[in-house]
Amino acid sequence: VDEFRWNELVYTAKFGFEPVIGETYHLYIGNNGDVFLSLISPNEWNRECIGSFRLDSQQKWIKI
């Protein structure tokens, strides 16, 4: 159930790039409260990070 919820959250997040399988991305809360996916890691940016995720070969987001 948690895995499904994480997947749903990431897939409904805003992002302006094409995610690459096997790469790690980070989910943040924006200033307006929207959730967005970014390439920038939490230690490089002072934003509230929800978590880090990797896209697997079955197009499923895995929380890491």
Side-chain angles (χ1 to χ4, degrees):
V1 173
D2 284 339
E3 190 175 290
F4 174 78
R5 288 184 184 151
W6 284 122
N7 258 306
E8 184 177 32
L9 183 61
V10 176
Y11 271 115
T12 58
K14 295 181 180 184
F15 52 94
F17 55 89
E18 184 69 32
V20 176
I21 292 171
E23 294 296 318
T24 300
Y25 301 95
H26 312 282
L27 202 59
Y28 294 96
I29 298 176
N31 294 334
N32 59 0
D34 288 344
V35 176
F36 67 95
L37 197 63
S38 176
L39 303 165
I40 302 171
S41 68
N43 62 351
E44 297 175 306
W45 206 6
N46 190 22
R47 287 208 175 257
E48 183 178 351
C49 183
I50 297 172
S52 297
F53 298 84
R54 182 171 291 131
L55 184 62
D56 74 5
S57 61
Q58 297 173 347
Q59 300 296 312
K60 185 167 69 172
W61 289 100
I62 307 297
K63 189 171 190 310
I64 54 174

